[in-house]
Amino acid sequence: MTKRIKLVIEYDGTQYAGWQVQPNAVTVQETIEGALKMLTRADIRIHGAGRTDAGVHALRQTAHFDTDASIPPENFAAALNTQLPPDIRIRSSEEVADTFHARFSAKGKTYQYAIYNFPVASAVKRLNTCHVREPLDVSAMQATARRFIGTHDFSAFCASNTDVEDKVRNVTRAEITADLPEILFTVSGNGFLYNMVRIMAGTLIEAGRHKISPEQTGEILAGKDRTKAPYTAPAHGLTLVSVLYDGVNGNAQ
Amino acid sequence: MTKRIKLVIEYDGTQYAGWQVQPNAVTVQETIEGALKMLTRADIRIHGAGRTDAGVHALRQTAHFDTDASIPPENFAAALNTQLPPDIRIRSSEEVADTFHARFSAKGKTYQYAIYNFPVASAVKRLNTCHVREPLDVSAMQATARRFIGTHDFSAFCASNTDVEDKVRNVTRAEITADLPEILFTVSGNGFLYNMVRIMAGTLIEAGRHKISPEQTGEILAGKDRTKAPYTAPAHGLTLVSVLYDGVNGNAQ
């Protein structure tokens, strides 16, 4: 009998060309699909909640797949981990209803963007933080982050090569916390456009440099013009923290 | 005129066979000496405060060297960083008195040992934490850590292949803090024997598993017999945090 299995996945994105399968590049999705094939001898397609870019990390990415294999659902995590490289770990596996879909059932996501604000980059944290040399004004970043909260058309904060029609999203949390030299941007919402968090992070860095004010950020948001928003911050500072679902079988872990 | 220069150095030890120069292996010391040669065209020997093992990291390792080069002392940091790989960063450089010695002037050091206590290892933190699957009793670890504080003969907590005569050291801080699933052991002292922190960390992990009590730890310490102490915890969980010096030119940074 076919079962639907939900996976919660942590990965260090440094060595991968992102989540999604693509030609001539090693991705997280295909690496997990390869491990599933080793276990089940079947070609199984997994569906992730979000397609993280090359270099982006995840603490609790979520995915689902269907299988006829007789492996107990909870055992997929440990069994897959024996086949996976140490920079990808399955935190848990469980059976879910066949109506559950990792992407379409998701009610929200949380991301973090980490900045290392010091004259010299960090050796130890170089693969998980974006290095900014000049001192940033944390208060200005906090005031600017608050502008993102609420329901907005985020067209100005979306990569131009996207084909999504509806660019209205609801951001429920957009917070800057500092434990200097580290500055962390945490953002939660019902959905995110392509590159949205990295363009927000680029805007916040410019706000910290006093190159853009909270008011100007509000105007850029209202103007819906991508060419007006600052640069896209580099991928390696970004981590997908968690994906939120309704119901018992869809609990965020 | 010859100047003595002090460096404060951060490194990710993952790719290195430790600090100290050795044949047929890439070390942190020789990598920095190579960068110094690129800058000055001279063969310069650098002297580190501590010889970290393969896989051990450092946030503020300290070293000194002598040079006739006309480069302003403060500029060595940025100049060396242009020649070094990103997993080694010079945080600062400054001129010090010719009586300063990175190793012999050191008044103390602080280390941290990081444990990731969760059924599944961390993908993102795999290179900086020691994975322990079984739940550890943090209170038992705290009670055991306190036994290390004070002036003791640490013979039982020293690798057997050492030629140091005097094994008495003063430990001023030995603290377990938990932000689960991470457990951090922070230890400061006037000096550390070879593998001392890693044997302490192995003992604390056994204490967290209730395989050894605080009383037994005290007895092992008093017995001075290396064969009685638990295993040496793996290198990659260990970070040299800082080195302490007296005086203006020797301030810990």
Side-chain angles (χ1 to χ4, degrees):
Chain A
M1 208 191 93
T2 302
K3 291 173 193 158
R4 181 156 290 189
I5 308 291
K6 176 191 169 199
L7 302 176
V8 178
I9 308 157
E10 177 182 349
Y11 49 86
D12 174 347
T14 306
Q15 303 293 336
Y16 297 94
W19 168 265
Q20 193 176 20
V21 169
Q22 53 179 280
N24 307 318
V26 179
T27 66
V28 178
Q29 183 189 347
E30 81 171 78
T31 303
I32 299 172
E33 287 174 354
L36 265 176
K37 180 148 192 177
M38 294 289 286
L39 280 188
T40 64
R41 305 287 155 195
D43 286 305
I44 296 176
R45 174 51 45 113
I46 68 170
H47 301 269
R51 298 169 189 166
T52 56
D53 279 339
V56 175
H57 316 290
L59 294 181
R60 291 188 293 282
Q61 164 78 291
T62 304
H64 79 266
F65 63 92
D66 294 326
T67 180
D68 299 319
S70 59
I71 302 167
E74 298 71 26
N75 292 9
F76 272 101
L80 285 169
N81 284 335
T82 65
Q83 304 294 332
L84 287 166
D87 56 2
I88 302 178
R89 292 289 92 184
I90 311 297
R91 292 174 61 99
S92 65
S93 56
E94 62 176 320
E95 186 172 357
V96 286
D98 63 3
T99 53
F100 174 87
H101 190 289
R103 185 166 168 210
F104 301 123
S105 304
K107 298 300 179 202
K109 292 198 188 93
T110 296
Y111 284 92
Q112 285 189 325
Y113 195 92
I115 296 160
Y116 190 80
N117 190 26
F118 194 72
V120 181
S122 171
V124 169
K125 299 189 172 174
R126 73 193 182 285
L127 302 174
N128 304 76
T129 60
C130 167
H131 177 223
V132 178
R133 205 175 295 268
E134 316 91 279
L136 297 175
D137 179 342
V138 172
S139 304
M141 295 172 78
Q142 288 168 329
T144 303
R146 282 194 285 274
R147 296 280 172 157
F148 295 132
I149 298 172
T151 302
H152 305 284
D153 181 323
F154 281 95
S155 294
F157 292 83
C158 176
S160 44
N161 56 340
T162 184
D163 53 3
V164 177
E165 295 272 321
D166 179 10
K167 290 176 180 154
V168 176
R169 296 292 182 276
N170 180 29
V171 169
T172 53
R173 180 183 179 195
E175 191 175 35
I176 289 278
T177 51
D179 181 10
L180 294 175
E182 283 180 73
I183 299 172
L184 199 59
F185 172 47
T186 304
V187 60
S188 302
N190 66 343
F192 290 89
L193 301 166
Y194 186 54
N195 277 353
M196 183 168 148
V197 181
R198 288 169 56 193
I199 300 170
M200 286 171 150
T203 305
L204 291 167
I205 291 167
E206 290 302 271
R209 281 178 176 136
H210 297 143
K211 299 285 186 196
I212 184 172
S213 68
E215 293 68 32
Q216 286 170 313
T217 302
E219 287 162 17
I220 291 168
L221 195 53
K224 305 178 197 172
D225 179 0
R226 170 67 190 101
T227 65
K228 295 292 188 294
Y231 66 95
T232 305
H236 68 278
L238 184 62
T239 299
L240 169 57
V241 174
S242 60
V243 186
L244 184 71
Y245 299 97
D246 280 342
V248 173
N249 270 339
N251 275 340
Q253 297 188 31
Chain B
M1 207 189 94
T2 302
K3 291 173 191 155
R4 182 156 289 189
I5 307 292
K6 175 190 171 202
L7 301 178
V8 178
I9 308 157
E10 178 182 349
Y11 49 87
D12 174 347
T14 307
Q15 302 294 336
Y16 297 94
W19 168 265
Q20 194 177 19
V21 168
Q22 54 179 279
N24 307 319
V26 179
T27 66
V28 178
Q29 183 189 347
E30 81 171 78
T31 304
I32 298 172
E33 288 175 353
L36 265 175
K37 179 149 193 176
M38 293 290 287
L39 278 188
T40 64
R41 305 287 155 195
D43 285 306
I44 296 175
R45 173 53 43 117
I46 68 171
H47 301 268
R51 297 171 191 165
T52 56
D53 279 338
V56 175
H57 316 289
L59 293 180
R60 292 187 294 281
Q61 164 79 291
T62 304
H64 79 266
F65 63 91
D66 294 326
T67 181
D68 299 318
S70 58
I71 300 168
E74 298 72 25
N75 293 9
F76 272 100
L80 285 169
N81 283 336
T82 65
Q83 305 294 332
L84 287 166
D87 55 2
I88 302 178
R89 291 290 92 185
I90 311 297
R91 291 174 62 98
S92 64
S93 57
E94 61 175 321
E95 186 171 359
V96 285
D98 62 4
T99 53
F100 174 88
H101 190 289
R103 185 168 166 207
F104 301 123
S105 304
K107 299 299 180 205
K109 293 198 187 91
T110 296
Y111 285 91
Q112 285 189 326
Y113 196 91
I115 295 161
Y116 190 81
N117 190 27
F118 193 72
V120 181
S122 170
V124 169
K125 299 190 171 172
R126 73 194 182 285
L127 303 173
N128 304 76
T129 60
C130 167
H131 178 222
V132 178
R133 205 177 296 269
E134 316 90 280
L136 297 174
D137 179 342
V138 172
S139 304
M141 296 172 77
Q142 288 168 332
T144 303
R146 283 194 285 273
R147 296 279 171 157
F148 295 132
I149 297 172
T151 301
H152 306 285
D153 182 322
F154 281 95
S155 294
F157 291 84
C158 175
S160 45
N161 57 340
T162 184
D163 53 3
V164 177
E165 296 271 323
D166 179 8
K167 291 177 181 153
V168 176
R169 297 290 183 277
N170 181 29
V171 169
T172 52
R173 180 183 181 194
E175 191 176 35
I176 289 278
T177 51
D179 180 11
L180 294 174
E182 283 180 74
I183 299 173
L184 200 60
F185 172 47
T186 305
V187 60
S188 302
N190 66 343
F192 291 88
L193 301 166
Y194 186 53
N195 276 355
M196 182 168 150
V197 181
R198 289 169 54 192
I199 300 170
M200 286 171 150
T203 305
L204 291 168
I205 291 167
E206 290 302 90
R209 281 177 178 136
H210 297 143
K211 299 285 185 194
I212 185 172
S213 68
E215 293 67 33
Q216 287 170 312
T217 302
E219 288 161 17
I220 291 169
L221 195 53
K224 303 177 197 173
D225 179 359
R226 170 66 189 103
T227 65
K228 296 292 188 294
Y231 66 94
T232 306
H236 67 278
L238 184 61
T239 298
L240 169 57
V241 174
S242 58
V243 186
L244 185 71
Y245 299 96
D246 280 344
V248 174
N249 270 341
N251 276 340
Q253 298 188 28

